[in-house]
Every structure is written in structure tokens, then in C-alpha cells.
Amino acid sequence: MFNKYIDRIKPALTKIEKINVRAYYAKCYREHAIQEHWILYEAFAGRGILCNPKAMFEALRRRSEFKDYRHIWVLDSMKSHKDLICKYKNDPSVIFIERHSKEYLKYLAEAKYLINNSTFPGYFIKRKEQVYINTWHGIPLKKMGYDMPGGNFNSANTIRNFLAADFLLSANKFQSDMYWKSYKLEGLWNGKVIETGHARNDVFWSDSKESIYKHLDSLGLPGSHKKKIVLYAPTWRGEDFSKPREEADEYLHFIEEMEKKLSSDEYQILVKPHQQVYHQIEERSDIKGKFVPSSVDTNELLSVTDILVTDYSSIYFDFLATGRPVLFYIPDLEEYEDTRGFYLPLNELPGPAVKCLSDVSQWIMNIEDVQCEYSTLYEKNVRWVLEYDDGHVCDRIIDAVWFGKNQSVCQQRVTEKPKILLYRGGLSENGITRSFMSLLNIIDYDKYDVTIGVEYPGIIPGDMEKLLSLNKNARCIVYIPEASGPWKELVARKRILKTGVYNDEQWEKVPAEFFRWDFRRTFGDSQFDVIVEFGGYSPVSSYLLLQAENGKKIIWQHNDLALDAKKVIHGVKPHEKNLNTIFYLYKYYDKIVSCGKYVMKQNMKSFAASGTFHKFTYARNALDIGRLENDLKQDSISGTDLYGQTRRWPDDKFINFVTMGRMSTEKNQLNLLRSFARLQEKYGNVMLHILGDGPLRKEMMQEINGLHIRDKVVLTGQMEYPFSYMKRCQCFILPSLYEGQPLVLYEARALGLPLIISKFSSVSDSITEGGQYLIGNSEDEIYEGMEAFIKGKVPEYSFSADEYNSEVFHEFEKAVLG
């Protein structure tokens, strides 16, 4: 019984613990002074003294200018690194701390210099006085950042860290382009890329082999001088970097096959799993003495390796500095190429590549012939990969960062394009999200630098798909929900979100500093010319964007918001509190943009004051022509409707009326159902198709059953390809009580469907001369409109989607930049 109680409260305790971590970190960066001579190092989330941070650490300790500096190393577990800690126990300048501990939070907030080869946690915020050097951990062969599948989401914390960094280290032009292009830093990021080689490659010019052999021996991995070390070092596999596939059995199979074919007197077979993979399998007893622990520095290991076997890991780029042979064993080549993809053609690799393991042992036994065959490609790779490597990379980096020397190795790429931040927040399936996605597809990206701000996708179906399908020309920054702030401000934030802000007294209680720091946590030191809160309904994002230090602030209005605030669903006004807060905040925004001219006039009547009248303007919603065209190519249908029945295309034996929209009060769908029941009773050969879902689903189903029209009304639910379905209907009807600028009308126009539209207040923004049949929104008037179509009274029209979008883009430019 007690255990069940503990299980129930455990999630709450975990949440409190995480908030405590962020609160203590906030206290440290708010109250503690920066320590000018402290350097904090973190490699692979605390796996040890490794990689580029290790090389920088050793180089800094060798130079007399830094004799008074304190070096703080982050470890994932103090217990797991006892030998490492013991090695430096008599050196007071070297300190070890555990990741996420109180000491970690303190040093992370206070250290003047931060060096990381991966990423700091989601709650990290670089203070303006700090210097953040992100060394990264390799030249990419496989696609990275926004180039890889799921890049918008999977790269979220990496992009956030890069935007916070002052310096990014690069081995060559190829890696520099990865930062600028693959992570879309060009034009927004204000830091510098130091292109001068990999710091960790200096080890290949050092005389440290004896100590490395001894280290391997101490780990039970004999690296005898009399044997050639064959190192198998594959990368991680899987869809999620934080949860790679566990492939220990495949690695053991590699060892067994090599030991069968290769002489144990001549060769020592070692496996070095990727850092993320080793973390999963390190407790397995059968890997002891066979797998190289993640605490062993990879480049030190490479310096004593005679033959490297890898797959598409970037490890081979560093290994080229040794001049020794590299072989590529890639059993899942086609699968990986199709899903992740590569930057370089595999026929340019500096060694043979194969899917069959038996070929690897044959190559090793004939390694001299292999080297000769691939010598030209090997040298070609060496020339561009190791352009700067000479054993003095660390010194050039130190001189550039600490002393401002060697600025010729530093790059900045600043463009003159206006920088626009379009913040949508959540991507729930609704008209706002669709208009947002459509807008992204008509922007001139040669003219504007565009950043998208979205919230971390939750459990709402379809959010992730929409996140990944956002226009690739814009960089996408995902808001990670790990805001740092003192408990007092966290409580204040929760209170104002619960109660809202309606007056100046309440506004004074808003923790502005909390939101100001949260903006920097998300966007680093990025400077935007224009910041747009496109959603228009969220107090959280509205507070957040107002705290940006620069840029014109704009907020969107997607409806007659005074009416929307009064909307009742199930006896509740769902938008009232949030919208009343938004209304108060309008005076702090520079512009207020409605989705149509009439909507603007209505909102001006409701909200404009003497000091805000000039702020109101409008820009209509764009059409997503590409989505329409793609939908119309679909000739198959899948899924089930809201009744759980397999979907079918509309039957052309009937007159098919169609509407699409959220099942909500303002859409007036209950009146539509009653009108249709009368129409069906009179004419018989009619069908009604309602595309969408929403809070009134239950009431609509009850109404359908009560009217006995279950066999004549189709509730499709949300559809992946709705326009292909709509195109197969004969007439579109929109009986709404009120709307903003309903995008679905223009989508129906682009499909060429005859239109029946109710005379909602802002309808003038959505009609064209002679292009629709206008009705009232009562049951009788809706019935009359549908009967008018049957009698041939609904007019035909012509419409150009391209011309419409051109007009909309001009309105957007004028509203945002005018």
C-alpha cells in the first residue's frame, strides 16, 4: 500500500526536484559574481576528461599566463570516475563536480569561461559576462542540424547552445559550413567560428604513446607493442540521439569474427562504442576487457591504433592524421542513406566500404594492398580535412579567445537582411496554425532572414508532423520548457497565468526579469528587427516576446476578439481570461495586425485608445498552394471517421455538400445539421460532409442521431489530405456566426467549389464580386442557401491563388516592416 502511494507521488517529487535545480541555478546567476579565472569544462555530458575540451585543458595548463586559473571538470558520476579524481587529488587548481549538482549549478553560473563539446542542459543561460566556447566533437559525414530528418526537433538544444556560444571551433571550411548552413546560423548568430583545426588532433604530434599503452593495460585492454591494434569504432544508430539502439551483441560478433580469421599473436581487437551507446551497455559483464570505456579519450586511442574500422562515424577524419589505413564496415548502408543521409559521396571515402563482415578480415590480412589502392583518395581527404592540423591548434585558439590574436582564423557572417522572428507557440490543428504555415510558404527568403519560434511538441496528435513540415527556408527554434527562475518568480508566473493581468497593478507583479532571461535562454543574444507574436491568444508567449531587448513588437489578431472572448462552450468561456490579458498587453506592442480589413475595424472599435489607434493594421491569411496541389495528387483514402467507420470518398451519385472547421459554437454546425435534415427529407439524394473535430463533437453526434440523418452525414474527423476529399464534393458551405478571415474559403475557391457563405460580421474580407451565394445564419436561411445550389442559383467564378498570395505578401510586408 505504501509503495503504491510512493509510486503515485514520485512524478510530483521528480518535478519539484527539477524545479529546485532550476531555481538554485537562477539564484546563482542572479546573485553570484563572475569569477574571472575560472574555466568550466564539459565533454559528452560529463563522461570524463575527453575530446577537444581535454586538449584545451592541457594546453591552458601548460601556458604560464594561466597559472592562477581554476579548472572545473564536469562528470556524470563522481563514483564512476574515482581513478580520474584520484589522479588530480593533489592539484588544487583542478576541481571535479557532478552534473546537475548544486556545485555544478554554482560553477556553471559563476565561471567566466565555459568549454563544451556538446550541449549544456535546457535550463542553461549564458550570462553576458561569460565566454562560451563550443568545440563540438567532430566533422560530420552524416547529415546534421536542419539537414537531418527531424532536425527541427532533434537539434533543438544544440541550436540553442550554438546561439548562446561566443565561439564555435572548426577543423576546416567544410565544418564551418555545417555551422553556418546546416544549423542556419548565418545571418542571425553574432559569435565567431574559429576555423583553425581540431584541438584534440594536437595529440598526434605529441610523444605520449607509452602513457596511453599503460592506460589501456590498466583497464584490462592490453595494447602490447608487439601487436597491431585493430579498433572498431561505429557511431550510434536509432531515431533518437538520447536513446540509441543497443548493439553490444553486434559488436561482440565483430570481435568473434575477427578473432577467427586474424592471428591473436599479431592483432589485438578493440571496440570503442559511441559515447551514447556505451552509456547504455557499460554494466554488461560480457563486454569487460573487450570494449573501450567512454572515459578513454578517443584521439589518444587513435594515436596508438594501427587499423581503424568504422562506419559513417566522423572518427575517421581525425584518424587520417596518423597516415594509417581506415576500413568502412557499413551493414545498413542503404537504410541509413535513405533515412539520415550523407554529406559526402561514399565513393570518395579514403578506404574500402562493405556490408559483409568477412570482407573486413580479408582487407586486414592484405592491408598493404588496400593502402596502395586507396592512396590517392586518402591523400585527397587529408588535404581538405587536415588543412590546419600541425600540433599547434590549441595555441591558436587560446590566442584568439583570450588575447584577440590570430583574428584571421575567425569568421563572422552577418547579412543585411531584416531579421524577423515569427512566434507561433503550439501547433494544434486549427486555422491559426494553417495560416501560419501558409504564410511561411509565401515569404521571400532571399529578402528576409526568418526565424520560427514554436513550443516543444506535446502529446497532441499531429503537432510533431507539423513541426517537421514547416518551411525549410526558415530556421526553427523550439522553446524547451525548462525555464530557470527563483521559486518566488515561478510562483508569480503561475499565479498571473491563472488569474490574468487586467490592470497596471497586476502588471507590476509580472516577473519581467524571469521572462527576460527566458528569452535569452531560448534565443541567446540574437537580435531581431521584428518580433511577431502570431498566435494572439497566449499570455505566456506575449509576455515572453515583450521582454526581447531589441526589435519592433507585433501581435496578430485572427478574429473579432471581443466576440471570441464571450464565446461559450459547455457553459464556459474558454478564451475570456487569456484574451482579457492579451487586450491589456496591446498597449506595449508596436503594432496590432488583424487578418482582414473589416476584422481590423471591429477590433479597433473594441480596443483602440488614443495611444493605440495608430497601431492597428491588417494582412490577410495566405494560401498554402503547395499543400493543395499535393493533396489533389492523392488517389487513396485511409483512416476512420469519428464513428470509427472506414473512410470512403464522397459518392458522386449524391449532391455532396461539404464544410470544414473546428466543431465549435461559432461555426454554427448544429443549425447546419437541422437545415440539412429538412433538405434531405425533401430531396433525398443529398449528403453532408463535415471535416474536422472539436469540443462540440458529442453534441453534434447527438443531434445527428436525433434528426435520424446518421446515414447522410459524414464526420470525417481530422484528415491528412482534406482537399482531395473536398474536391470530390459539389458545394462548400460556411454557416458561421462569426469569423476572422476563414482561410478555408480561399482553399475552397482554389479548388473551384461553389460557395455558400453566411453574412458573418467580417464577411466583406472574404468575398469577391459575384463569387459566392450569401445567406443568413438561421436554420431557415441555411436551408434556403443549400436549396439554391440544387436549383442552380449559386454562381460560378474565377480565382487565381498566385495573384491572391502576391497581394497577401505585400500586405504582410507593409504590416510588419512598414
Side-chain angles (χ1 to χ4, degrees), residues 90-267:
N90 295 321
D91 188 339
S93 70
V94 181
I95 297 170
F96 293 97
I97 56 174
E98 189 164 300
R99 203 167 190 253
H100 301 305
S101 67
K102 274 197 168 185
E103 290 78 12
Y104 175 74
L105 304 172
K106 167 185 162 62
Y107 283 113
L108 185 61
E110 294 181 34
K112 170 76 171 184
Y113 299 96
L114 308 171
I115 301 178
N116 199 326
N117 77 339
S118 187
T119 60
F120 288 114
Y123 56 76
F124 163 71
I125 307 170
K126 187 186 82 74
R127 296 170 69 172
K128 290 187 176 181
E129 308 95 317
Q130 290 180 308
V131 178
Y132 178 10
I133 307 156
N134 192 295
T135 71
W136 205 233
H137 51 265
I139 303 167
L141 173 61
K142 51 187 179 287
K143 290 187 175 179
M144 303 291 288
Y146 294 107
D147 293 341
M148 66 181 183
N152 283 357
F153 175 71
N154 293 323
S155 297
N157 197 40
T158 301
I159 293 160
R160 198 184 67 83
N161 270 257
F162 285 174
L163 288 174
D166 297 281
F167 299 97
L168 296 174
L169 304 191
S170 169
N172 47 44
K173 182 181 182 300
F174 179 75
Q175 187 174 3
S176 297
D177 283 343
M178 176 199 75
Y179 293 132
W180 296 122
K181 303 294 186 183
S182 301
Y183 285 96
K184 300 184 188 293
L185 298 182
E186 186 172 5
L188 181 66
W189 180 55
N190 297 310
K192 295 179 180 179
V193 169
I194 301 180
E195 184 184 301
T196 190
H198 263 321
R200 67 191 185 195
N201 283 1
D202 282 356
V203 70
F204 296 125
W205 278 263
S206 68
D207 187 19
S208 58
K209 286 189 177 182
E210 287 302 321
S211 63
I212 297 169
Y213 281 124
K214 288 180 181 178
H215 187 198
L216 292 175
D217 289 343
S218 71
L219 296 170
L221 300 165
S224 171
H225 295 60
K226 297 179 181 179
K227 293 184 181 181
K228 294 178 180 178
I229 294 179
V230 176
L231 177 66
Y232 178 44
T235 191
W236 68 279
R237 286 168 168 79
E239 297 181 359
D240 186 342
F241 180 75
S242 64
K243 298 176 183 177
R245 287 207 309 252
E246 199 260 66
E247 297 186 314
D249 293 334
E250 285 83 351
Y251 302 161
L252 290 169
H253 177 64
F254 178 92
I255 294 173
E256 291 170 1
E257 290 301 307
M258 291 301 104
E259 289 179 343
K260 286 179 185 177
K261 302 288 180 65
L262 303 177
S263 168
S264 59
D265 293 330
E266 186 177 359
Y267 296 100

Side-chain angles (χ1 to χ4, degrees), residues 419-673:
K419 297 172 181 59
I420 302 173
L421 171 61
L422 291 173
Y423 197 93
R424 168 62 186 101
L427 292 170
S428 300
E429 181 59 51
N430 56 37
I432 297 175
T433 295
R434 285 301 170 191
S435 63
F436 178 71
M437 297 177 74
S438 300
L439 172 62
L440 294 175
N441 292 335
I442 68 167
I443 290 176
D444 184 348
Y445 291 96
D446 291 330
K447 193 173 180 181
Y448 301 106
D449 182 288
V450 180
T451 300
I452 305 166
V454 297
E455 291 176 3
Y456 198 83
I459 60 173
I460 301 173
D463 275 20
M464 180 64 79
E465 289 80 0
K466 287 193 283 293
L467 171 62
L468 301 182
S469 66
L470 294 171
N471 193 293
K472 301 298 187 292
N473 290 299
R475 73 177 63 78
C476 181
I477 296 179
V478 177
Y479 177 88
I480 297 173
E482 294 186 40
S484 300
W487 265 103
K488 180 181 178 181
E489 293 183 7
L490 290 169
V491 171
R493 174 183 181 271
K494 188 172 183 179
R495 185 186 302 116
I496 64 169
L497 293 180
K498 183 178 180 180
T499 62
V501 173
Y502 312 131
N503 54 51
D504 292 346
E505 183 181 350
Q506 291 170 319
W507 176 246
E508 290 299 319
K509 297 177 182 178
V510 173
E513 191 170 9
F514 174 92
F515 288 103
R516 186 157 49 249
W517 276 90
D518 208 29
F519 189 90
R520 289 197 68 236
R521 182 182 70 89
T522 303
F523 300 104
D525 291 321
S526 302
Q527 303 293 306
F528 298 101
D529 297 295
V530 178
I531 297 172
V532 178
E533 206 296 274
F534 191 83
Y537 282 76
S538 169
V540 176
S541 54
S542 298
Y543 294 141
L544 179 71
L545 301 186
L546 282 174
Q547 300 310 317
E549 294 181 355
N550 299 95
K552 181 166 58 175
K553 314 297 192 308
I554 298 174
I555 191 165
W556 231 256
Q557 295 178 316
H558 294 277
N559 220 322
D560 182 333
L561 294 181
L563 287 178
D564 227 14
K566 298 172 184 176
K567 180 171 70 175
V568 177
I569 297 179
H570 299 150
V572 176
K573 297 178 181 177
H575 298 310
E576 183 180 37
K577 181 187 66 181
N578 284 351
L579 282 178
N580 282 333
T581 297
I582 299 295
F583 301 157
Y584 172 82
L585 296 179
Y586 282 156
K587 64 183 179 181
Y588 296 107
Y589 278 87
D590 298 295
K591 278 194 175 184
I592 304 162
V593 183
S594 291
C595 60
K597 191 173 184 178
Y598 184 86
V599 176
M600 177 193 73
K601 291 179 179 178
Q602 292 299 103
N603 284 323
M604 286 175 71
K605 287 179 183 178
S606 301
F607 309 116
S610 58
T612 61
F613 192 88
H614 68 284
K615 297 182 178 183
F616 285 80
T617 186
Y618 73 93
R620 288 173 294 169
N621 293 323
L623 259 177
D624 191 341
I625 298 174
R627 184 188 179 207
L628 282 164
E629 291 175 344
N630 181 63
D631 266 26
L632 295 180
K633 294 175 184 176
Q634 307 305 316
D635 57 6
S636 62
I637 193 168
S638 62
T640 57
D641 63 21
L642 296 184
Y643 286 97
Q645 302 298 311
T646 301
R647 290 193 188 117
R648 291 185 172 85
W649 292 117
D651 190 336
D652 58 11
K653 292 185 297 185
F654 294 88
I655 298 171
N656 294 283
F657 291 91
V658 62
T659 190
M660 181 165 71
R662 180 174 170 80
M663 293 178 177
S664 186
T665 307
E666 74 278 9
K667 301 299 182 183
N668 200 25
Q669 291 144 331
L670 291 175
N671 261 355
L672 174 63
L673 290 172

Side-chain angles (χ1 to χ4, degrees), residues 39-43 50 52-57 60 71-74 108 111-118 120 131-136 169 397-398 401-402:
I39 307 173
L40 181 139
Y41 307 83
E42 184 172 314
L50 303 167
N52 288 312
K54 174 182 189 292
M56 294 295 297
F57 165 67
L60 287 162
H71 305 271
I72 303 105
W73 269 98
V74 178
L108 185 61
K112 170 76 171 184
Y113 299 96
L114 308 171
I115 301 178
N116 199 326
N117 77 339
S118 187
F120 288 114
V131 178
Y132 178 10
I133 307 156
N134 192 295
T135 71
W136 205 233
L169 304 191
I397 295 169
I398 291 168
V401 173
W402 273 268

Side-chain angles (χ1 to χ4, degrees), residues 263-422:
S263 168
S264 59
D265 293 330
E266 186 177 359
Y267 296 100
Q268 171 69 31
I269 314 298
L270 296 178
V271 173
K272 181 79 164 70
H274 188 276
Q275 296 280 344
Q276 287 295 100
V277 179
Y278 188 82
H279 187 59
Q280 285 190 333
I281 64 178
E282 58 187 325
E283 299 303 320
R284 284 183 54 158
S285 59
D286 55 347
I287 72 169
K288 305 298 182 184
K290 296 180 179 179
F291 290 10
V292 181
S294 61
S295 59
V296 173
D297 183 73
T298 299
N299 282 42
E300 287 192 350
L301 180 60
L302 291 179
S303 71
V304 297
T305 294
D306 295 281
I307 299 172
L308 174 66
V309 182
T310 187
D311 44 17
Y312 24 75
S313 169
S314 61
I315 192 173
Y316 83 87
F317 288 116
D318 288 2
F319 189 67
L320 295 176
T322 68
R324 301 174 201 137
V326 56
L327 310 174
F328 296 88
Y329 168 51
I330 315 178
D332 56 350
L333 174 59
E334 289 85 1
E335 175 191 344
Y336 201 87
E337 194 165 19
D338 288 342
T339 56
R340 179 73 178 263
F342 304 104
Y343 283 120
L344 303 173
L346 296 187
N347 60 7
E348 292 290 312
L349 292 174
V354 72
K355 294 172 61 177
C356 182
L357 186 54
S358 60
D359 289 341
V360 176
S361 56
Q362 289 297 316
W363 287 335
I364 292 173
M365 289 187 287
N366 297 280
I367 198 64
E368 291 181 0
D369 293 338
V370 171
Q371 279 185 285
C372 183
E373 180 181 352
Y374 283 86
S375 60
T376 301
L377 280 174
Y378 198 102
E379 288 303 316
K380 181 180 178 181
N381 276 266
V382 166
R383 282 194 296 274
W384 71 264
V385 172
L386 304 174
E387 180 181 357
Y388 303 106
D389 290 272
D390 57 3
H392 301 288
V393 173
C394 286
D395 285 330
R396 289 195 293 274
I397 295 169
I398 291 168
D399 286 343
V401 173
W402 273 268
F403 304 108
K405 299 179 181 178
N406 299 326
Q407 289 303 296
S408 61
V409 304
C410 296
Q411 300 178 4
Q412 279 186 305
R413 294 193 187 178
V414 180
T415 66
E416 297 303 316
K417 294 180 184 179
K419 297 172 181 59
I420 302 173
L421 171 61
L422 291 173

